[in-house]
């Protein structure tokens, strides 16, 4: 089955630093990738949708200058949390979708803790 | 705008018994798709079942089945013969794009007791 790898799985960093999370589709070409945020015991909230080679489309209320998304290739998308602060601490999950009406495949998520 | 509502924060079931999770949704679109995802403690998202709104027949996957009531905009999940491995958070989700841009419900925690 289709595999999506997310890295790192857990990161702890100091307030004010920038953190990059990678999402890779290992055995298929992902024309679309989605980034979600999940607070403890809450639902997944879609942050943005990215199509390969295009600028990401952000959901209302998501700061695009805070959460930089790059989808430069058909197998890799990155989410960079810039100047991270404790309120950015959360669980971030990516999913990848192949061309056409293909299923979304989720990564295992990244736990981000900002001290 | 699409909304998905799961009104049960937690449901408890004994092993081998049956539990039903409720989900209601709202959409103005005529074409849409409904899903149930399972998120165990590992937090991996696992697809349980998918239903195409234009299909009247309820989707089934082994011990998992749905009761899709289109007029009532209801999409409940029934877990039969519950197993300890079914313990997880279950999310109902909706999209108008076959597999894209999910709107998730708040989730229902399923607890399975021996």
């Amino acid at each position: 089955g289709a595999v999506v790898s997310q890295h790192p799985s857990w990161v702890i960093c100091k307030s004010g630093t920038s953190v990059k999370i990678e999402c890779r589709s290992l055995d298929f070409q992902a024309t679309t990738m989605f980034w979600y945020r999940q607070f403890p015991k809450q639902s997944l909230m879609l942050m943005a949708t990215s199509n390969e080679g295009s600028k990401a489309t952000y959901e209302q209320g998501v700061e695009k200058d805070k959460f930089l998304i790059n989808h430069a290739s058909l197998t890799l998308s990155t989410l960079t949390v810039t100047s991270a602060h404790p309120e950015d601490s959360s669980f971030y999950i990516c999913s990848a979708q192949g061309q056409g009406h293909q299923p979304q495949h989720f990564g295992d998520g990244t736990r981000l803790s900002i001290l | 705008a699409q909304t998905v509502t799961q009104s049960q924060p937690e449901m408890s079931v004994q092993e081998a018994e049956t539990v039903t999770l409720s989900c209601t949704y709202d959409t103005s679109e005529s074409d849409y798709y409904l899903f149930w995802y399972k998120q165990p403690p590992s937090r991996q998202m696992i697809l349980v079942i998918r239903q195409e709104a234009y299909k009247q027949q309820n989707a089934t996957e082994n011990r998992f089945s749905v009761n899709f009531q289109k007029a009532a905009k209801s999409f409940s999940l029934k877990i039969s013969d519950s197993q300890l491995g079914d313990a997880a958070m279950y999310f109902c989700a909706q999209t108008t794009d076959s597999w894209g841009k999910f709107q998730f419900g708040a989730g229902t925690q399923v607890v399975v007791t021996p």
Side-chain angles (χ1 to χ4, degrees):
Chain A
V3 178
V4 176
S5 172
Q6 198 170 333
H7 179 80
S9 57
W10 195 355
V11 58
I12 303 173
C13 60
K14 293 182 179 179
S15 185
T17 59
S18 293
V19 181
K20 182 183 283 188
I21 301 169
E22 292 186 348
C23 181
R24 293 182 185 271
S25 56
L26 298 185
D27 53 0
F28 68 102
Q29 293 187 327
T31 51
T32 304
M33 287 190 173
F34 303 89
W35 287 95
Y36 297 87
R37 183 174 182 175
Q38 185 179 29
F39 289 106
K41 297 188 185 297
Q42 293 190 26
S43 187
L44 281 74
M45 300 299 296
L46 180 65
M47 299 175 66
T49 303
S50 72
N51 293 300
E52 185 264 339
S54 303
K55 286 186 178 180
T57 302
Y58 290 82
E59 295 299 302
Q60 193 172 9
V62 177
E63 299 175 63
K64 61 180 180 182
D65 295 329
K66 171 69 141 176
F67 300 100
L68 301 179
I69 291 171
N70 183 281
H71 190 172
S73 80
L74 285 171
T75 58
L76 174 65
S77 176
T78 60
L79 166 67
T80 302
V81 184
T82 61
S83 187
H85 291 285
E87 58 266 28
D88 298 322
S89 297
S90 191
F91 192 68
Y92 293 88
I93 305 175
C94 73
S95 71
Q97 182 182 32
Q99 191 171 14
H101 300 295
Q102 296 298 314
Q104 270 192 54
H105 300 283
F106 287 86
D108 288 342
T110 297
R111 184 185 298 180
L112 174 62
S113 298
I114 308 297
L115 304 178
Chain B
Q2 300 177 87
T3 58
V4 178
T5 303
Q6 294 179 251
S7 57
Q8 305 154 316
E10 184 173 305
M11 294 288 284
S12 187
V13 60
Q14 281 194 315
E15 260 188 303
E17 297 297 311
T18 296
V19 65
T20 300
L21 312 183
S22 67
C23 172
T24 58
Y25 62 93
D26 193 17
T27 180
S28 56
E29 303 291 331
S30 56
D31 240 0
Y32 55 90
Y33 304 79
L34 299 164
F35 301 78
W36 279 98
Y37 275 90
K38 170 184 177 182
Q39 189 181 44
S42 66
R43 304 192 81 168
Q44 184 184 15
M45 293 294 285
I46 301 167
L47 176 66
V48 176
I49 208 159
R50 177 177 183 260
Q51 174 84 42
E52 294 141 324
Y54 61 85
K55 288 188 177 179
Q56 293 195 349
Q57 187 173 6
N58 289 324
T60 299
E61 280 293 336
N62 301 313
R63 297 181 295 108
F64 299 88
S65 61
V66 297
N67 183 4
F68 175 42
Q69 300 290 326
K70 193 170 184 177
K73 294 185 177 177
S74 170
F75 184 61
S76 61
L77 175 70
K78 184 170 79 172
I79 307 174
S80 304
D81 186 25
S82 297
Q83 300 175 359
L84 293 177
D86 295 332
M89 182 72 87
Y90 286 80
F91 292 102
C92 180
Q94 176 188 48
T95 180
T96 56
D97 187 22
S98 186
W99 284 95
K101 201 170 178 179
F102 290 134
Q103 177 72 43
F104 285 96
T108 296
Q109 181 71 48
V110 170
V111 177
V112 182
T113 55

